[in-house]
Amino acid sequence: MSNSFHADVVVLGAGPGGYAAAFRAADLGKSVILIDKDETLGGVCLNRGCIPSKALLHLARVKSESSEVQNFGLTFPEPEWDLEAVKQWKNERVVGRLTKGIAALAKARKVQVITGSGVFTSPTSIEVSGTEGAKIVTFDDAIIAVGSHPTKIPGFPEDPRIMDSTSALDLDSIPENLLIIGGGYIGLEMGTIYSALGSNVTVVEFMPNLLPGADADVVKPLEKRLKKEFASIQTGTKVLGIEPQKDFLEVKIEGKSGPETMQVDKVLVAVGRRPNTFGNGFENIGLDIDDRGFIKVNEKRQTNLPHVYAIGDITGDPMLAHKATHEGKVAAEVICGQPAAFDVSIIPAVIFTDPEIAWAGLTETQAKEQGIDYDKGVFPWSASGRALALGRTEGFSKALFDKETGKLIGMSIVGTNAGDLIAEAVLAMEMGADAEDISLIIHPHPSLSESVGNAAEIVAGSITDLFAPKK
Ligand code: NAD
């Protein structure tokens, strides 16, 4: 069998960005080769990130709801975990099913998948080392979609009890005491999972607030709930060092009340992700890379080599799967001669905790920093019939409208299913909607989606579900 291959388009990395790029290019008539180190397609997101964590977060939510409904007259026995069954469900029936689905989609499109580690050896070739030996793949155009990896804290020892998000999702054992370093997306999602599994969870966050990218008022309802579930949340706190002992990890932290030592069974480090800049031969082809390791691209996702494109985490923040997918389609369409470009203005962010937090467009903090004059409508879910029926009234929906243009410029939501509700705000912003446009849309009743319309009604002056005295 020959070890040389050629395709019109080669995609390096088969995460949500890479496989979308490969499939779009194939659908537009190109021959495509998709290369990935993993045996299964889907990258970090499908195999050891977004999808398995959502499966476990679902179980965590069912567990807490089964206990909360006792207050409403429905009683269950104390839930019990069968960890092996949970792992099997997560790995086979959720992740496995999806990755098999992606493989079937690749086959149906005649996208050739090559498993192995790809390194650029020239501007038109990649050498792939895999279990079947080295293969040389040549191409007319390439799309780099190699993603990112968890950031390590320098000076920490190597110890299997110090986990990153990948090992934490394996659920090898459930620690009695778990310290999570970083109160961001991963820290709070994984904290929710481990707390439901029975661990005493402590979160230490370097910054003064959890989820530093979100507005503080939006984080508050989540923080209030997590404070009840977690053993402790310490903001403005840094970890000075970890000393592995035989039976525990000794961790030195320093916060508002000075240095402190704690003993925990495991630590999860969730302090961000770094681009996979090294080991792919980018230096062999002279790619322009910024000082943080991100590949520089233009709006067409072209690098400084016009036939080499880059998408997803390797091109910079926000490191989100849905951004990568969109960029992948843009790159494929540009290669196929379509007038596509990437408009980065509105990329929704969702933290899948309970309650969920979601925002799109500008946060209020950003609007203030940018000196934008805005009108604000905040609809409290305590006035939502659906939220009351769910027993989850702690949330709210906050809409910001530009005073000058009247258009929606930002939406932040905290509450059950906020991650689904934010899609309406994204559409509204993309379509240039103002408060009146949104308030005149008939939202289904009773639904949480009404809260988006209600927030707009507050600014439009037509709210009836609240009493807003005339100014
Ligand atoms: P993050 O940037 O969301 O959060 C990291 C947190 O760690 C920050 O709040 C930061 O201030 C804090 N921190 C940094 N150094 C610290 C230190 N030494 N001590 C204490 N705190 C420290 O990063 P993450 O949670 O690791 O997630 C990585 C990326 O993965 C995210 O940026 C996101 O793009 C992606 N992700 C997304 C989702 C989602 O979309 N729901 C879920 C998980 C991960």
Side-chain angles (χ1 to χ4, degrees):
M1 203 173 85
S2 162
N3 67 349
S4 297
F5 301 83
H6 181 84
D8 297 335
V9 180
V10 164
V11 181
L12 186 60
Y19 76 73
F23 292 0
R24 186 78 182 118
D27 289 349
L28 291 171
K30 297 284 184 185
S31 63
V32 180
I33 291 176
L34 178 59
I35 302 168
D36 200 287
K37 288 201 242 300
D38 280 346
E39 290 288 331
T40 52
L41 301 179
V44 171
C45 178
L46 256 70
N47 289 288
R48 48 191 175 276
C50 334
I51 299 300
S53 63
K54 295 315 94 71
L56 298 175
L57 280 162
H58 172 63
L59 298 184
R61 180 164 156 189
V62 170
K63 181 174 182 274
S64 67
E65 285 184 346
S66 73
S67 126
E68 275 171 0
V69 291
Q70 293 187 20
N71 300 325
F72 314 150
L74 179 61
T75 309
F76 292 95
E78 185 63 23
E80 277 176 36
W81 292 99
D82 176 344
L83 213 51
E84 285 312 309
V86 169
K87 282 196 252 184
Q88 200 182 13
W89 170 69
K90 165 178 75 79
N91 296 342
E92 290 170 22
R93 283 163 47 210
V94 181
V95 173
R97 201 168 146 183
L98 265 174
T99 54
K100 280 191 198 110
I102 304 290
L105 290 176
K107 200 168 169 200
R109 293 180 157 90
K110 299 190 171 45
V111 168
Q112 188 181 355
V113 175
I114 297 183
T115 305
S117 205
V119 173
F120 281 90
T121 45
S122 83
T124 52
S125 66
I126 290 176
E127 184 174 327
V128 185
S129 340
T131 48
E132 295 164 7
K135 291 178 178 166
I136 305 297
V137 179
T138 55
F139 51 83
D140 299 335
D141 292 283
I143 301 176
I144 299 170
V146 294
S148 62
H149 61 275
T151 305
K152 286 193 170 184
I153 300 184
F156 276 15
E158 288 293 329
D159 189 299
R161 293 170 292 179
I162 303 177
M163 306 183 286
D164 60 19
S165 53
T166 304
S167 48
L169 280 166
D170 286 341
L171 302 182
D172 281 340
S173 65
I174 307 307
E176 190 178 334
N177 295 302
L178 170 67
L179 172 70
I180 297 180
I181 307 176
Y185 284 76
I186 293 176
L188 299 186
E189 290 186 1
M190 291 309 301
T192 301
I193 291 166
Y194 272 89
S195 168
L197 285 161
S199 296
N200 298 311
V201 174
T202 296
V203 173
V204 295
E205 163 60 48
F206 186 66
M207 300 294 278
N209 296 309
L210 294 177
L211 295 170
D215 283 336
D217 58 344
V218 176
V219 177
K220 224 176 229 166
L222 171 66
E223 189 167 358
K224 193 171 163 200
R225 194 172 159 100
L226 291 182
K227 274 187 171 155
K228 285 189 207 144
E229 282 174 17
F230 292 0
S232 147
I233 296 176
Q234 303 187 34
T235 53
T237 301
K238 62 182 174 198
V239 176
L240 303 173
I242 303 180
E243 298 250 339
Q245 309 291 343
K246 187 168 163 285
D247 296 326
F248 55 87
L249 296 164
E250 192 166 87
V251 187
K252 286 200 179 68
I253 62 171
E254 186 170 15
K256 290 160 201 156
S257 47
E260 202 184 310
T261 302
M262 12 180 353
Q263 293 179 355
V264 294
D265 304 300
K266 284 193 175 183
V267 170
L268 165 62
V269 180
V271 295
R273 296 182 67 86
R274 292 253 195 289
N276 289 331
T277 319
F278 301 106
N280 306 301
F282 298 156
E283 63 287 356
N284 298 337
I285 58 171
L287 280 189
D288 261 359
I289 293 173
D290 74 14
D291 50 13
R292 294 176 62 207
F294 294 117
I295 297 177
K296 293 188 195 172
V297 287
N298 64 16
E299 75 289 350
K300 294 179 195 296
R301 304 291 98 168
Q302 267 167 320
T303 66
N304 56 313
L305 303 182
H307 71 295
V308 178
Y309 297 70
I311 60 162
D313 290 6
I314 191 70
T315 64
D317 291 320
M319 295 196 198
L320 297 171
H322 44 270
K323 170 188 166 257
T325 303
H326 191 85
E327 287 179 298
K329 289 185 177 174
V330 166
E333 287 166 7
V334 171
I335 288 170
C336 297
Q338 296 198 353
F342 186 71
D343 170 5
V344 293
S345 60
I346 297 149
I347 303 168
V350 182
I351 326 298
F352 292 92
T353 40
D354 184 21
E356 293 179 354
I357 287 182
W359 70 91
L362 296 180
T363 61
E364 197 172 357
T365 315
Q366 288 170 330
K368 279 186 184 145
E369 280 166 2
Q370 293 175 24
I372 295 172
D373 225 358
Y374 59 87
D375 284 316
K376 172 166 82 164
V378 180
F379 185 78
W381 286 20
S382 50
S384 154
R386 187 63 196 275
L388 269 161
L390 292 170
R392 297 300 301 269
T393 54
E394 76 273 35
F396 63 84
S397 301
K398 172 166 77 168
L400 307 178
F401 295 89
D402 187 310
K403 251 198 204 311
E404 207 176 295
T405 64
K407 290 187 177 171
L408 181 68
I409 50 168
M411 182 104 201
S412 293
I413 306 177
V414 54
T416 302
N417 294 351
D420 291 308
L421 303 180
I422 200 68
E424 179 182 354
V426 177
L427 181 66
M429 277 183 264
E430 289 287 0
M431 305 300 285
D434 62 19
E436 194 184 11
D437 293 327
I438 301 169
S439 64
L440 289 177
I441 292 167
I442 298 183
H443 291 81
H445 178 75
S447 72
L448 296 171
S449 72
E450 286 172 290
S451 71
V452 174
N454 293 138
E457 283 175 347
I458 292 171
V459 171
S462 56
I463 183 89
T464 49
D465 283 348
L466 293 176
F467 178 63
K470 292 242 173 320
K471 284 179 192 148

